[in-house]
Amino acid sequence: MIPFSNDPEMLEILESFFIETDELLENFSQDLMILESHPDDLELLNKIFRSIHTIKGTSSFMGFDKIQNLTHHAEDLLNKLRKGELKASVPIFDCLLEVHDWVRLLVDNVKNGVDTNVDYQNTINQIEILRHPAATTETIEDKSNTSKIVDVPENSKTTSNEQSALESILNNSNIGNHSGDFTDEELELIQAAFAEVNKDFNQEHKPESISKNLSEINDIKPVIENIQSEAISAIKEETKPIDKKDHIPGSTKAQSTETIRVDVNRLEVLMDLSGELVLGRNRLAQITEIMDQDSKNKDKISDLIETTAQIDFITSEIQAAVMRMRMVAIGKLYQKVPRIVRDLSKEFSKKINLVLKGEETEIDRGIIDELNDPLVHMIRNSCDHGIETPEQRMAAGKSPEGTITLDAEQEGNNIVLRIIDDGKGLDSEKLKAKGIERGLITAEAANQMSKREIFQLIFAPGFSMAAKVTNVSGRGVGMDVVRTNIQKLKGIIDIDSEVGKGTTFTIKLPLTLAIIQGLLVKVKNETYAIPLSTVVEVVSVDLDKVYYVNQKEVIRIREDVLPLLRLDRNLGVKDANTGLENRYVVVVGLGTNRLGFVVDELLGQQEIVIKSLGDYLGHISGIAGATIMGDGRVIMIIDASEVLEKEYEMMSIH
Amino acid sequence: MKYLVVDDSPTMRRIVINALKSFGIEDIIEAEDGIDGLNKMKDSKPEFIITDWNMPNMNGLEFTKAVRGNPEYASIPILMVTTRGLKQDIIEALQAKVNNYVVKPFTPLVLKEKIGAILKT
Ligand SMILES: [Mg+2]
């Protein structure tokens, strides 16, 4: 046998197994939950069966006995559903979802090269009980291990000459009537039957090329035998995780698919390069313009202008194409949600419908990954605190079933994700009281606060809305972490709520983190870029309207008091006091906090490629990075989130 | 000699193809279900088919019947490779005129023997 660890082909198969099984497991659990509400969908049931069937098949080759065993039992159960011998029920779905969880864990263990003791026997027992509704609850042994040995009745061992092999199979009701392998005798019979079929077949069709082609077949190389232990040791030897290997899984099967999988790192490289290309293009356009003004050789210049325009166009296209490659449908993010809602509904004895909208909306893959935890937490929060119990809902004259809606859409260069529940809503008076009780705000301040400001209290560290602490979302961590995570993604989170009607969380995120729309502003002689995703609005202000609260400049915009920050002073711009009269306030938002940057001039918006200052300058407080303008000038990108966070920290000290 | 491997699982296709390659068979095309298989056959006619049974859209049994029902393809040997090992399954496969039947998981040796057995007769 070829040692597994030396066999790159085997590693490829293993990797293909991981990718495929991840997908199948995801489908399996999702489809199960759809089936739960549409139990008559036979087509879907068949698909669910195929998913688990395929995992069983491939895991058997890998020698993953536990996975094979679990999937085998699930398959049996599903088969009974397919044949109508069992009726779909909540315990059956619970059990199948448990199988999903076990297999997930087992696959992850193999991936990570760990071999923890996974005891899924309870699930198997449960399946056995469900399969045989009449059976008693005494321990049922796992039969699949013992079922390989089956006594073949005496008479079948002596196949009579008169009886054909096919007939003898047809007449022998025991053959194959068990799971697991066939016995040798059975195999012999089956082979004989096939030999008969083949004989008939070849009398009809005599392919001449066939027997000579037999010589093409070489000596055998045993490549697929008992690879599990070798697989695990191979993974342990690999210092890097197997799913980050260099090769592109699935690339050899390009014939039969429209997609190939590409290592994310390769995309990052491409992304960087296309960013550089944008900078080069900008520079080229600038030089062309200058030459156009200076040069006497007008013919050549018009060629240059044309070529530059062409490169300009192609660069934009390349950039867009690379961006699209990094985009994944937000549906990927939704995948785990139905299961969470299902399980929590049961836990809280609530009835909760889940509506998913805008699944096809695309967003940068890096953002999706970071968005997962906050979303899960917010869904838990909505199930726990948003939606009422059926009794409470009926008493309030609402339908006993609550609804949580997840909706995503693209708005310009942003993705807007909404989590909407039709639950009891946020009671701003109660929130105020709690905020005062927790020492987060003074009673005086509370009276000055707008509704939106009060709602944002739930994002304060240590603020828990739950009257009693539940084990799901009342631990006092959570919503503050949600806000922090959204902020890290340069996003904004807002709350809208009405008592008795429900709550809507709105998360606004940039489409991507590497290329942003920037608002270019002038502060004295310096130009800065402010990420447009953090900009809520721009207002022109009369500086006479500025007044002071705790020695901080503020201005009133509609019903909110907006703290101001003089960017010139904050960034140490020279001649800070040689004033320009016309000032603008760029209102930036982070979470529900708002801050107004006072600037002198608005230069419009532009697509900018963020270059990290990293290696050269290190981190500069308040600066997210730099970008290179068409004329070669380097301008700083203001890290609005960081500046805002700092300001609010300082304000809370006062 | 061209082989067609039909299976909805990319991993299974790899396993089968790796085994075939280890026998020195290089000319292999793939399809992910019966319909895809029939389409691929239009472009380039295989001389040997290895097919899975459980597949979406058109399963291996339906695929086998479609191949046998087309005079142009009827003479192509078909080896069915599946986890379905019940008697009833095998009888159905026999009736659909597959040339041989391998129950997963199999070793390359078994696969080679089955292919050999079909080509020899
Ligand atoms: Mg299959």
Side-chain angles (χ1 to χ4, degrees), chain A residues 53-54, chain B residues 7-9 52-55 104:
Chain A
H53 176 83
T54 302
Chain B
D7 200 309
D8 59 326
S9 158
D52 180 30
W53 186 323
N54 283 65
M55 293 182 290
K104 297 178 199 168

Side-chain angles (χ1 to χ4, degrees), chain A residues 12-13 16 20 50 53 61 166 169-170 172 175-176 182 191 194 198 201-202 210 217-218 220 252 256, chain B residues 9-11 14-15 18 23 32 56 75 83 85-87 91 94 99-101 106 108-109 112 114 119 121:
Chain A
E12 274 183 28
I13 288 178
S16 163
E20 182 180 321
R50 271 200 310 272
H53 176 83
F61 274 95
L166 182 55
I169 283 184
L170 293 170
N172 188 336
I175 289 181
F182 287 94
Q191 281 317 305
F194 276 112
N198 264 317
F201 177 81
N202 281 330
I210 281 182
I217 298 182
N218 297 343
I220 204 146
T252 58
S256 58
Chain B
S9 158
T11 307
R14 276 196 161 215
I15 289 171
N18 266 19
F23 313 150
E32 58 189 17
S75 65
T83 31
L86 298 182
K87 176 187 173 187
I91 290 167
L94 278 166
N99 296 65
N100 216 326
Y101 194 96
F106 53 83
L109 185 65
K112 193 191 177 194
K114 296 280 166 109
L119 294 182
T121 28

Side-chain angles (χ1 to χ4, degrees), chain A residues 364-483:
Chain A
D364 191 283
R365 188 207 130 92
I367 295 178
I368 289 254
D369 291 345
E370 295 300 318
L371 211 49
N372 187 58
D373 287 354
L375 181 72
V376 167
H377 196 89
M378 292 178 76
I379 293 288
R380 285 170 178 269
N381 184 72
S382 296
C383 292
D384 194 359
H385 304 307
I387 304 291
E388 316 90 325
T389 62
E391 297 75 34
Q392 288 167 337
R393 291 182 66 90
M394 297 222 284
K398 295 158 93 170
S399 112
E401 292 185 3
T403 300
I404 294 175
T405 307
L406 262 182
D407 190 3
E409 61 181 332
Q410 187 176 343
E411 284 180 8
N413 274 303
N414 292 295
I415 289 293
V416 176
L417 179 65
R418 291 188 183 84
I419 298 136
I420 306 156
D421 72 60
D422 67 347
K424 58 176 174 281
L426 294 173
D427 184 336
S428 56
E429 289 308 311
K430 276 189 190 162
L431 289 179
K432 254 191 220 176
K434 178 147 274 178
I436 296 167
E437 182 196 315
R438 295 278 152 98
L440 296 167
I441 46 165
T442 62
E444 205 183 20
N447 288 330
Q448 302 282 318
M449 288 165 81
S450 68
K451 244 185 162 184
R452 216 196 68 233
E453 287 171 316
I454 293 164
F455 291 152
Q456 85 179 49
L457 283 172
I458 69 166
F459 294 120
F463 189 94
S464 169
M465 280 190 298
K468 62 176 171 33
V469 173
T470 68
N471 65 354
V472 177
S473 54
R475 284 168 298 207
V477 293
M479 292 310 268
D480 59 324
V481 178
V482 167
R483 184 174 64 173

